[in-house]
């Protein structure tokens, strides 16, 4: 692969990128003082960097192509790694124990700062799992998901401000508000398909944010709402540190609840209908599934989790304003779902932890973290468009699903 | 014999194109009826009108269900048509490719079951029982159709002929009294076609399901059907028993080819 | 009445800018059905390139018109190069992947390019020299419309005419239309589809860069984030007009621009963007394919 | 002229072609018959490079073409009239014909060829400024064939040209196929469901079943073959 042709290709690529990045990377003008700064050393860095990267890029592309070819000709046994682990008790039991221990000791061994980040990541796990219902299972691209998150957060902030309601009271209310908004917004837009649906949900998301920003009497506008209380525990006074640890465990609990419910939904009659809808709308209707209701239920179920997560978010930051609910937030949650692996619970958890923790721990290169983040998204999609984890699906085994029915077991084939 | 499906003067226009032209059709209970005609004659359009995918421009479609209630199909949504007891397969296979064979059939049980969101989350006894029942019933359908060996395969990994049969299994799971098959033998080899022939007869005899099929394989059509309708340009040009159709000069001209008997 | 005209003209100006960006969105969508999220960034890079070139030339004391011309040309050339590279790196390998993957790749590219400019240049707003001189002949109507505004509207009109000509009558234009209608069939008559896609990105990027130069010199300042906001608006305009349709993109942009201008002028500037999105939502609910979009009968 | 050697082609996860080998000599009309979904169209798409085979070789005039891009394959003189006509629906009839001549540079020749086409199909001349999508099925088929002829192919691949057409028009189409073959010396590879018609115009034929070639012989022999008659001639 290091033949003359390849070297020529890489050489041309590096020349091209040197040309491409020339004005932005090399020249910097200061229009006030009329100084032009020339940074030639960067050009060489780009040249050398792109020369070698282009080798790697082509090598990986070739490997991907080859893998596809082999899979077609049936030359590889393609059980994804996550399923292989999940099948082997001697792998997954210790792994599960290790994760549990880690989760339990985490807030006590790591700093307050780390715990706060972890809470943020866990919020994304919940929103990611919620959006996964809409995008991953039902196949509806929703770019305005953050609207429901905002609805939850503002529900808590306003109900607390006006009526002094506490976290635990508002948590279900927030979820309910998400649900209601999901139905309200879902109803008119679900006739639309694909990208049109995406752009209209984007529109709705922006409308809600802009209303929050401008309707001062209602939402206090851009200045937002401060002094939102953290979750209480039987009225016990807690220090900031204690409160954070408490919130951490509340989040762990909520994540577990979410996983539990989402998995149940996924494996139910409704969940199957969602997946079937994603696979083929026409056939789905021909099987007697009500398209509108099924779509709406997915939309509303997704929104519910966003509403709940919004309440937690408000409680965690104790201050909210519309700037927390921009389109970027929707996009990041979408990335969590797609990067992790659509339709996969473990994938979404993976995606949330990677996407939220990675930039935080990249603070060492703090300036570069969003740059790297963007590049990672592109590279991931180019080389693994299905996400990190391929979706794990419940395999309905005739044996497994009916343990209390010996008759059924007997008639099961091998 | 009282018809269980009666179609009167069904007309369907796409823009300026008339795909169906005042088509009349009747099917009696436990009949196997074939709809034949050249490609593009409007056969699939007819199915799409019946099953609520296209709203017909004119005409009337009536069914008489086993409970003797009469129902008009015009204006029903596809899912309500299925609930009313019509199920169909598609010309170009439309399985849920990334679901397993069993799950595909389980989707067919959807309209005959009722567990909702609350039930899904709580997984109470009724829901569990229903789920078990769905699995059991679906498996039973698969056994009947002869697909039990593939139960946990992904639909997309099935051989072509098996995919066609899975479409039938999935339709059967919705408990239809009238089954609409759109080119069920397309792409099957002679052996698979023979098996299909037996399967269709078995579905009629054992389950008492009436069958309307579109098919190009004349051998299959002739051996299988009680009656045949021939359409061309959206119009019915002939109807009758296989023997009558074989000897009908208009049919030979339009479809079988002028010198098919050469 | 005069106020009405003032608003109308300002709306048309705004709409023209949207149109220059929306054309790129709609062309790319028409051919590969991808929302090119990074399109706005190409526009932003065009504006930055123009700024750099213009600043250097100003320091060298060049003549205003020459600066405008050279800066625009360099900006257009660079944007085309970026558009081309963008497609090769982030979209071409994903041609057979699920559409969501391509969308995420586009989002990643958008983020990457924003931060690339942020890091290589600055996060602050940079003043952009006003490159379009005020013409004296236009003095009498200056209270209604300024020279830069006229320049923007005219440029859009010219670009639109040129593009229409290209699409309608040239070989490459026909290949583009054929590709967008039936990609496989286009291959079967010998169209190099990869090349046509590249050309589409290049042309779309060029018009976006023109938009970038014009708006930057009109508004007078730029930063790394302008692409994202303008991109969203232009995309809304493209969808409004019926994505995939070029006249639709222009019409959608003008409708959006004027609607915003009138709403700001007569109602309130607070809810300007809300209003824009409400128009989008309402139109799409009643006309799901956009104003000029073709709705297709799905084959079963 | 064209030789397929053991090609295997996949559509998604389904193997559509399993070791298909076919040979076509210059000047012949070869037909490929078989049931729906047997892999006939995939064979054509593999030759044209739209769905390149995963393994095996395709030789055109002795040169391997299985790894070439579709547009380069067209430039060698291999042209396809695909199933379902695939007219560009929003291009006019004239523009559709222009697209057929996309790779040709000889402007005067093209003009002459267009005139020839309009003589051959007067109805197309009448509708030259109408969008392709508004034509009737038969007119579209004529346009599709004309579009392919505009490329001056050496090898013309035709996928179900009789699909959905009235008997009279089918007859006309087959006459044109014969004419193209004898007058222009164009080699024709014809995929058909209407086996009866196809075998009558063809020199040789291949029978395809679920991705494999199950039989090959002269057209006359296939027409007389009992199995073929039973399975594909509706007798």
């Amino acid at each position: 692969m290091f033949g003359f042709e390849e070297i020529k290709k890489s050489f041309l690529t590096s020349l091209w990128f040197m040309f491409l990045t020339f004005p932005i990377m090399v020249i910097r003008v200061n229009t006030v003082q009329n100084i032009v700064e020339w940074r030639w050393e960067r050009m060489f860095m780009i040249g050398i960097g792109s020369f070698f990267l282009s080798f790697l890029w082509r090598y990986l592309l070739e490997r991907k192509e080859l893998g596809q070819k082999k899979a077609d000709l049936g030359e590889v046994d393609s059980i994804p790694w996550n399923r292989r682990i999940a099948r082997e008790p001697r792998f997954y039991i210790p792994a599960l124990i290790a994760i549990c221990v880690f989760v339990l000791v985490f807030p006590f061994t790591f700093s307050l700062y780390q715990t706060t980040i972890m809470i943020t990541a866990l919020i994304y796990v919940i929103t990611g799992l919620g959006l996964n219902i809409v995008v991953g299972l039902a196949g509806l691209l929703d770019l305005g998901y953050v609207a429901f998150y905002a609805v939850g957060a503002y529900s808590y902030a306003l109900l607390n401000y006006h009526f002094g309601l506490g976290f635990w009271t508002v948590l279900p209310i927030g979820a309910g508000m998400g649900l209601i908004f999901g139905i309200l917004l879902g109803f008119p837009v679900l006739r639309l398909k694909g990208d049109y649906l995406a752009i209209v949900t984007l529109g709705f998301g922006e409308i809600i944010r802009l209303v929050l920003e401008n309707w001062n009497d209602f939402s206090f506008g851009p200045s937002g709402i401060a002094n939102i209380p953290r979750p209480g525990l039987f009225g016990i006074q807690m220090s900031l540190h204690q409160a954070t640890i408490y919130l951490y465990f509340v989040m762990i609990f909520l994540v577990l609840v979410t996983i539990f419910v989402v998995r149940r939904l996924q494996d139910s009659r409704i969940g199957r209908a969602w997946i079937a809808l994603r696979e083929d709308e026409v056939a789905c209707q021909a099987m007697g599934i009500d398209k509108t209701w099924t779509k709406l239920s997915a939309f509303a179920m997704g929104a519910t989790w966003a509403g709940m997560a919004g309440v937690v978010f408000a409680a965690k930051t104790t201050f909210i304003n519309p700037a927390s609910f921009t389109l970027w937030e929707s996009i990041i949650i979408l990335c969590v779902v797609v990067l992790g692996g659509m339709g996969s619970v473990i994938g979404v958890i993976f995606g949330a932890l990677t996407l939220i923790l990675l930039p935080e721990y990249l603070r060492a290169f703090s300036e570069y973290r969003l740059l790297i983040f963007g590049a990672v998204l592109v590279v991931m999609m180019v080389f693994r468009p299905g996400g990190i984890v391929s979706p794990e699906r419940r395999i309905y085994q005739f044996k497994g699903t009916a343990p209390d029915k010996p008759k059924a077991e007997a008639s099961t084939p091998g | 014999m009282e018809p269980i499906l009666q179609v009167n003067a069904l007309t369907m226009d796409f823009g300026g194109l008339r795909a169906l032209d005042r088509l009349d059709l009747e099917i009696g209970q436990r009949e196997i009826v074939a709809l034949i005609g050249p490609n593009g004659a409007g056969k699939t359009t007819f199915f799409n009108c019946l099953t609520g995918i296209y709203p017909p421009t004119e005409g009337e479609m009536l069914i008489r269900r086993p409970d003797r209630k009469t129902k008009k199909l015009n204006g029903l949504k596809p899912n309500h048509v299925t609930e009313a007891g019509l199920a169909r397969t598609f010309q170009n296979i439309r399985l849920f490719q990334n679901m397993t064979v069993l799950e595909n059939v389980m989707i067919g049980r959807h309209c005959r079951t009722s567990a909702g969101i609350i039930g899904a989350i709580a997984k109470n006894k009724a829901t569990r029982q229903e789920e078990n029942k769905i699995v059991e019933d679906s498996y039973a359908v698969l056994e009947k159709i002869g697909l039990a060996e593939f139960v946990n395969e992904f639909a997309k990994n099935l051989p072509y002929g098996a995919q066609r049969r899975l479409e039938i299994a999935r339709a059967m799971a919705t408990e239809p009294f009238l089954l609409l098959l759109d080119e069920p033998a397309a792409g099957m080899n002679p052996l698979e076609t023979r098996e299909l022939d037996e399967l269709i007869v078995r579905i009629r005899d054992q389950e008492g399901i009436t069958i309307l099929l579109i098919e190009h394989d004349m051998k299959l059509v002739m051996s299988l059907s009680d009656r045949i309708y021939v359409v061309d340009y959206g119009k019915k040009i002939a109807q009758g028993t296989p023997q009558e159709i074989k000897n009908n000069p208009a049919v030979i001209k339009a479809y079988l080819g002028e010198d098919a008997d050469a | 009445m005069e106020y009405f005209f003032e608003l109308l003209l300002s709306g048309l100006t705004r709409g023209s800018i949207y149109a220059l960006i929306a054309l790129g969105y709609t062309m790319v969508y028409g051919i590969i059905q991808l929302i090119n999220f990074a399109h706005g960034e190409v526009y932003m890079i065009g504006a930055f390139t123009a700024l750099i070139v213009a600043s250097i030339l100003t320091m060298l004391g060049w003549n205003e018109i020459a600066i405008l011309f050279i800066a625009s040309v360099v900006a257009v050339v660079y944007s085309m190069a970026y558009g081309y590279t963008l497609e090769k790196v982030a979209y071409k390998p994903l041609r057979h992947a699920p559409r969501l993957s391509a969308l995420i790749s586009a989002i990643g590219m958008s983020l990457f390019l924003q931060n690339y400019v942020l890091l290589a240049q600055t996060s602050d707003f940079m003043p952009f020299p006003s490159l379009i001189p005020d013409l004296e002949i236009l003095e009498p109507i200056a209270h209604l419309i300024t020279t830069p505004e006229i320049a923007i509207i005219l440029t859009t009109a010219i670009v639109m005419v040129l593009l229409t000509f290209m699409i309608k009558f040239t070989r490459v234009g026909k290949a583009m239309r054929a590709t967008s209608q039936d990609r496989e069939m286009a291959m079967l008559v010998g169209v190099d589809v990869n090349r046509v896609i590249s050309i589409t990105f290049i042309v779309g990027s060029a018009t976006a860069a023109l938009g970038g130069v014009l708006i930057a010199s009109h508004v007078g300042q730029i930063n790394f984030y302008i692409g994202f906001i303008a991109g969203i608006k232009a995309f809304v305009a493209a969808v409004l007009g019926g994505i995939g349709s070029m006249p639709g993109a222009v019409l959608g942009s003008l409708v959006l621009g004027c609607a915003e201008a009138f709403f700001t002028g007569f109602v309130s500037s607070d809810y300007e963007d809300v209003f824009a999105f409400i128009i989008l939502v309402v139109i799409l609910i009643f006309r799901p394919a956009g104003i000029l979009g073709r709705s297709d009968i799905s084959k079963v | 002229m064209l030789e397929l050697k053991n090609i295997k082609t996949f559509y998604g996860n389904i193997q559509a072609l399993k070791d298909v080998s076919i040979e076509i000599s210059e000047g012949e009309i070869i037909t490929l018959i078989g049931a729906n979904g047997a892999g006939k169209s995939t064979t054509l798409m593999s030759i044209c490079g739209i769905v390149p085979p995963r393994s095996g070789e395709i030789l055109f005039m002795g040169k391997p073409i299985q790894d070439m891009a579709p547009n380069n394959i067209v430039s060698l003189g291999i042209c396809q009239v695909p199933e379902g006509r695939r007219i560009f629906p929003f291009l006019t009839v004239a523009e559709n014909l222009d697209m057929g001549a996309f790779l040709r540079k000889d402007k005067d020749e093209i003009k002459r060829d267009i005139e020839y086409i309009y003589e051959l199909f007067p109805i197309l001349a009448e509708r030259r400024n109408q969008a392709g999508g508004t034509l009737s099925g038969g007119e579209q088929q004529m346009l599709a064939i004309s579009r392919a002829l505009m490329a001056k192919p050496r090898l013309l691949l035709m996928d179900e040209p009789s699909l959905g057409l009235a008997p009279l028009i089918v007859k006309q189409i087959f006459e044109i196929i014969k004419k193209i073959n004898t007058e222009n010396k164009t080699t024709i590879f014809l995929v058909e469901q209407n086996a009866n018609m196809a075998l009558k115009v063809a020199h040789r034929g291949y029978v395809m079943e679920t991705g494999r070639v199950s039989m090959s012989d002269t057209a006359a022999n296939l027409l007389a073959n009992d199995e073929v008659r039973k399975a594909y001639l509706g007798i």
Side-chain angles (χ1 to χ4, degrees), chain B:
Chain B
M1 176 194 70
E2 244 183 289
I4 61 158
L5 174 73
Q6 184 165 11
V7 176
N8 298 326
L10 195 70
T11 302
M12 176 80 213
D13 290 336
F14 290 111
L17 193 81
R18 178 151 288 197
L20 291 178
D21 195 355
R22 302 190 60 77
L23 196 72
D24 299 318
L25 183 141
E26 261 178 29
I27 301 177
Q29 195 165 8
R30 283 177 159 251
E31 267 194 305
I32 296 180
V33 175
L35 192 60
I36 64 171
N39 269 319
K43 302 176 306 267
T44 298
T45 307
F46 178 67
F47 270 24
N48 287 341
C49 285
L50 272 186
T51 52
I53 292 175
Y54 299 152
T57 318
E58 265 171 61
E60 199 182 31
M61 304 171 290
L62 294 171
I63 52 166
R64 214 170 55 93
R65 306 214 313 218
D67 57 11
R68 313 203 131 258
K69 274 193 199 120
T70 310
K71 194 166 181 145
K72 206 168 159 184
L73 291 180
N74 297 54
L76 286 187
K77 281 208 232 158
N79 50 308
H80 292 133
V81 173
T82 310
E83 267 172 47
L86 266 72
R88 71 172 291 182
T89 65
F90 294 91
Q91 184 179 359
N92 29 8
I93 301 177
R94 300 189 82 125
L95 290 170
F96 307 118
Q97 299 285 351
N98 292 307
M99 300 175 89
T100 66
V101 168
L102 187 65
E103 281 170 318
N104 265 277
V105 182
M106 288 167 79
I107 289 294
R109 296 299 303 154
H110 191 95
C111 63
R112 304 294 173 211
T113 46
S114 61
I117 289 170
I118 307 288
I121 298 169
K123 224 175 180 180
N124 52 351
K125 194 158 173 234
T127 313
R128 277 201 313 271
Q129 277 172 350
E130 189 182 89
E131 277 288 296
N132 287 335
K133 188 94 174 48
I134 292 176
V135 175
E136 252 176 63
D137 291 347
S138 305
Y139 189 78
V141 172
L142 284 177
E143 276 194 320
K144 246 180 249 165
I145 306 291
L147 287 169
E149 54 176 318
F150 297 117
V151 62
N152 282 329
E153 291 276 354
F154 280 113
K156 62 182 177 191
N157 294 336
L158 250 52
Y160 196 83
Q163 295 201 5
R164 286 248 172 243
R165 272 185 296 153
L166 178 53
E167 274 220 330
I168 298 179
R170 197 176 62 172
M172 292 279 296
T174 66
E175 293 178 18
F177 68 88
L178 175 60
L179 187 59
L180 310 173
L181 305 175
D182 198 345
E183 299 202 21
M188 287 187 169
N189 61 34
L191 183 72
E192 285 172 318
T193 310
R194 248 196 321 278
E195 283 171 1
L196 180 75
D197 190 333
E198 287 162 21
L199 176 68
I200 293 175
V201 172
R202 210 165 63 225
I203 290 173
R204 194 258 311 261
D205 292 347
Q206 290 178 6
E207 314 288 323
I209 296 175
T210 311
I211 286 160
L212 172 62
L213 78 160
I214 295 174
E215 187 47 66
H216 277 294
D217 187 329
M218 278 309 121
K219 202 176 134 206
L220 180 70
V221 169
M222 295 297 170
S223 82
L224 197 58
S225 1
D226 300 320
R227 285 190 304 125
I228 298 176
Y229 283 84
V230 188
V231 288
D232 193 16
Y233 286 101
K235 281 196 185 108
K236 182 167 76 186
I237 59 172
Q239 71 181 85
T241 63
Q243 208 49 50
E244 286 164 9
I245 294 296
K246 246 186 224 170
N247 300 321
N248 185 320
V251 177
I252 293 174
K253 188 155 180 270
Y255 187 48
L256 301 175
E258 285 172 63
D259 34 20
D261 49 348

Side-chain angles (χ1 to χ4, degrees), chain C residues 171 174 177 181-182 185, chain D residues 86 90 95 98 102 147:
Chain C
R171 201 173 116 91
K174 269 183 205 150
R177 278 190 291 159
Q181 289 168 31
D182 189 334
M185 191 58 228
Chain D
R86 306 283 282 272
F90 303 103
E95 283 172 332
D98 275 355
F102 188 76
R147 181 178 58 189

Side-chain angles (χ1 to χ4, degrees), chain A residues 154-176:
Chain A
Y154 270 88
S155 297
Y156 181 37
L158 290 172
L159 287 174
N160 181 271
Y161 181 84
H162 292 294
F163 307 106
L165 297 186
F167 175 80
W168 291 106
T169 325
V170 181
L171 194 64
I173 297 178

Side-chain angles (χ1 to χ4, degrees), chain A residues 234-255:
Chain A
F234 309 115
I236 300 170
Q237 281 290 322
M238 283 184 284
S239 70
L240 177 64
H241 196 133
Q242 285 165 330
T244 307
I245 291 176
Y246 174 56
L247 187 64
Y248 169 84
F249 282 108
V250 168
M251 272 318 289
I252 292 288
F253 169 71
L254 289 179
V255 165

Side-chain angles (χ1 to χ4, degrees), chain A residues 16-25 27-32 34-36 38-39 42 57 61 64 135 141 143 188-189 191-193 195-196 198-200 202-204 206-207 210-211 214-216 282 327-328 331 334-335 338 342 367-368 370-375 377-378 381-382 385-386, chain C residues 29 33 35 37 45 48-49 51-52 55-56 59 77-78 81-82 84-85 89-90 93-94 97-101 103-105 107-112 114-117 119-122 126-127 225 228 232 235-236 239 242-243 270-271 273-274 277-278 280-281 284-286 288-290 298 300:
Chain A
W16 174 253
F17 275 95
M18 274 152 70
F19 161 74
L20 199 63
T21 51
F22 172 68
I24 303 281
M25 288 294 279
I27 312 171
R28 178 146 72 184
V29 288
N30 186 325
T31 38
V32 184
N34 277 352
I35 306 170
V36 181
W38 297 85
R39 303 168 293 182
R42 294 181 164 203
W57 183 265
L61 271 186
K64 183 179 147 199
V135 181
L141 182 52
L143 284 180
V189 304
R191 274 187 339 126
L192 301 171
K193 272 197 193 131
D195 297 328
Y196 287 95
I199 198 71
V200 168
L202 180 153
F204 266 132
E206 287 293 281
I207 289 173
L210 290 164
V211 166
N214 289 297
W215 194 0
N216 286 318
V282 174
L327 175 61
W328 265 118
I331 288 176
L334 182 68
C335 290
V338 178
M342 281 211 295
E367 299 158 27
Y368 296 99
L370 286 176
L371 186 84
I372 296 171
F373 183 68
L377 284 183
V378 175
M381 286 303 114
V382 169
Chain C
Y29 191 91
Q33 282 78 48
I35 303 173
F37 237 88
I45 285 175
F48 261 96
T49 311
L51 171 69
I52 290 167
S55 306
I56 293 176
M59 284 174 218
V77 167
Y78 265 97
Y82 271 93
Y84 171 81
T85 313
V89 172
L94 283 162
R99 286 176 59 190
L100 253 181
S101 304
L103 184 68
I104 299 285
S105 183
I107 290 168
M109 242 342 175
S110 166
L111 195 60
F112 180 85
Q114 269 177 34
N115 284 280
Y116 154 71
V117 172
L119 292 172
Q121 296 286 322
T122 168
M126 287 171 86
Y225 202 61
F228 188 69
I232 294 285
F235 181 54
V236 166
V239 173
I243 195 152
D270 287 353
Y271 289 99
D273 289 348
V274 176
F277 284 115
I278 287 177
L280 171 82
V281 170
L284 283 190
I285 287 170
F286 291 104
S298 55
V300 179

Side-chain angles (χ1 to χ4, degrees), chain C residues 168 171-172 174-175 177-179 181-193 196 294, chain D residues 45 48 50 70-71 74 79-80 82 86 88-91 95 98-100 102-105 147:
Chain C
K168 207 104 209 146
R171 201 173 116 91
V172 113
K174 269 183 205 150
R177 278 190 291 159
T179 307
Q181 289 168 31
D182 189 334
R183 193 193 301 179
E184 219 168 83
M185 191 58 228
M187 287 179 182
L188 286 176
V189 295
V191 174
D192 184 345
V193 168
V196 168
R294 305 190 274 246
Chain D
M45 289 301 178
C48 287
I50 303 281
N71 55 305
V74 174
C79 243
Q80 191 184 152
R86 306 283 282 272
F88 298 113
F90 303 103
L91 296 187
E95 283 172 332
D98 275 355
M99 282 314 293
F102 188 76
L103 290 177
R104 286 171 61 186
K105 302 272 193 287
R147 181 178 58 189

